[in-house]
Amino acid sequence: PAQCMIVESGYLFVGVGSSIKYWNMSTNAQAELTGHTDSVNALAVHSETGMLFSASKDSSIRAWKVSNETLDRTVFREPF
């Protein structure tokens, strides 16, 4: 099941398990971003840069370049 979703700039992003699936709503193209090791529970898009940010129960926030489907950086935090 989907844990989170967001629609931005013609894309639908959905956190499913430890991955992010997304669809280009005008072309129906689909892709998947992987890298988290636990459930993705939040998504945000920076509309000016086209970067997608994801937060996960694995205590990381990841920044993705949607244009080429690559991971730009990962930030880990200590669990509470």
Side-chain angles (χ1 to χ4, degrees), residues 22 29-34 64-72:
Y22 69 98
Q30 301 178 21
E32 183 174 14
L33 302 171
T34 59
W64 307 87
K65 292 182 181 176
V66 175
S67 61
N68 59 7
E69 301 174 13
T70 59
L71 178 63
D72 185 61

Side-chain angles (χ1 to χ4, degrees), residues 5 8 10 13 16 18-20 22-24 27 33-34 42 47 49 52-53 56 63 71-72 74:
M5 72 172 72
E8 179 69 41
F13 299 94
V16 180
S18 61
S19 66
I20 302 157
Y22 69 98
W23 293 264
N24 180 319
T27 66
L33 302 171
T34 59
S47 58
T49 64
L52 171 69
F53 298 90
S56 168
L71 178 63
D72 185 61
T74 302

